[in-house]
Amino acid sequence: MPLAPDETPTQWYAGPSARPSSSVAAISLRLRDTTRAGGAPEDQTVKGFPSGQPSDASRRDQQMLWVDGVGGYLVTLAEQLVIGQPGVGSSDGPDLPILADLSRRHARLARTGGRYVLTPYGPANLNGKKLDGPAVVEDGAVIELGSVALRLRRPHALSASAILTIESGHRSVPAADAILLMAESCVLGPKPHSHIRCPDWRDEAILFRGPGGLVCRSSGALVVDGRPADGAVPVSPGHRIEGQDFALSVEPVQEA
């Protein structure tokens, strides 16, 4: 069942018995999880500089997504992500631990109103400019936290989901090729607008939020643990999902 122009992916999910769409490309062009704000303001600094607060997110809001032949991606479902140095035995640690000379809670990246806002709690630059308070992070921007450099990409014009990559060679915990900041949906496939680029794929797959977690949909038939499935299928730990030319699975993230 294809998306109507005013529907979000969670509205049309009808469980494993839903009929597959004839074109995932048509689905991806109708993604409407969050409408982007109409252009970035010239002054990207957001007034106010709140002190560091414990994150509402927890590691249970995260999963590792493994895509065969492509890589491993840390998927975070929370609307904010605290970045910092990993620690042991504390409940107020970062949501994205990075092995680097950072404070325990160095900065917070939050999705709000269809845009991403970085709030620094330690030294931080955005596109080479020192930050004294919260600032909007646009597509392609480089965030510098001490010696750590991260780049944020929003490849799909109709999706608020973003990809965060570590450009400086540092390693996240768990180690991942990139961090997927998941709004309502994301695209995996060979095209430039894909959040996760899969150059050898012929078609696209869509991951979106369903009633009980992540759901996968593709234009072709899907197989779960070796058994054919109809329509969209839940993506849950311990199960392997295969499509025409792809395979993926997820696993929970343990506390750092």
Side-chain angles (χ1 to χ4, degrees):
M1 179 178 179
L3 281 174
D6 59 347
E7 288 181 315
T8 63
T10 52
Q11 289 174 312
W12 58 263
Y13 172 63
S17 62
R19 295 179 60 189
S21 167
S22 60
S23 172
V24 174
I27 296 173
S28 66
L29 290 175
R30 293 184 175 91
L31 292 175
R32 294 187 67 252
D33 46 19
T34 304
T35 303
R36 285 197 186 187
E42 291 185 7
D43 180 4
Q44 294 189 350
T45 301
V46 179
K47 293 183 179 181
F49 189 11
S51 60
Q53 298 293 329
S55 171
D56 292 334
S58 69
R59 301 295 269 183
R60 66 176 175 270
D61 294 315
Q62 299 179 342
Q63 294 179 327
M64 277 298 299
L65 170 66
W66 299 103
V67 184
D68 285 17
V70 178
Y73 299 84
L74 178 61
V75 180
T76 180
L77 301 176
E79 293 188 352
Q80 65 175 12
L81 188 75
V82 172
I83 305 168
Q85 188 180 77
V88 179
S90 176
S91 61
D92 65 346
D95 307 306
L96 176 57
I98 297 177
L99 297 173
D101 187 16
L102 300 174
S103 62
R104 186 73 187 277
R105 303 172 62 80
H106 202 98
R108 182 183 67 193
L109 183 63
R111 183 175 58 251
T112 176
R115 60 183 185 174
Y116 287 84
V117 176
L118 180 72
T119 301
Y121 305 140
N125 293 341
L126 181 61
N127 291 328
K129 181 180 178 181
K130 182 180 178 181
L131 293 182
D132 295 319
V136 174
V137 183
E138 297 294 339
D139 178 31
V142 175
I143 300 167
E144 294 174 295
L145 307 176
S147 61
V148 176
L150 307 106
R151 185 182 298 274
L152 183 134
R153 292 191 307 108
R154 291 183 60 180
H156 203 297
L158 299 180
S159 173
S161 296
I163 284 284
L164 191 66
T165 55
I166 302 176
E167 304 282 297
S168 53
H170 294 86
R171 186 170 71 86
S172 63
V173 180
D177 291 290
I179 298 90
L180 173 60
L181 308 175
M182 180 103 171
E184 290 296 331
S185 55
C186 73
V187 180
L188 293 77
K191 298 182 180 180
H193 66 231
S194 301
H195 296 90
I196 297 177
R197 291 291 299 275
C198 308
D200 295 331
W201 292 17
R202 285 166 287 180
D203 294 318
E204 295 177 333
I206 308 295
L207 289 182
F208 60 91
R209 294 179 188 243
L214 292 179
V215 178
C216 179
R217 192 178 184 94
S218 176
S219 60
L222 295 176
V223 175
V224 180
D225 297 335
R227 293 180 293 182
D230 293 328
V233 298
V235 182
S236 54
H239 299 282
R240 179 179 174 85
I241 297 174
E242 298 177 73
Q244 183 178 12
D245 49 13
F246 71 88
L248 58 86
S249 60
V250 298
E251 64 182 32
V253 174
Q254 303 300 320
E255 293 287 345

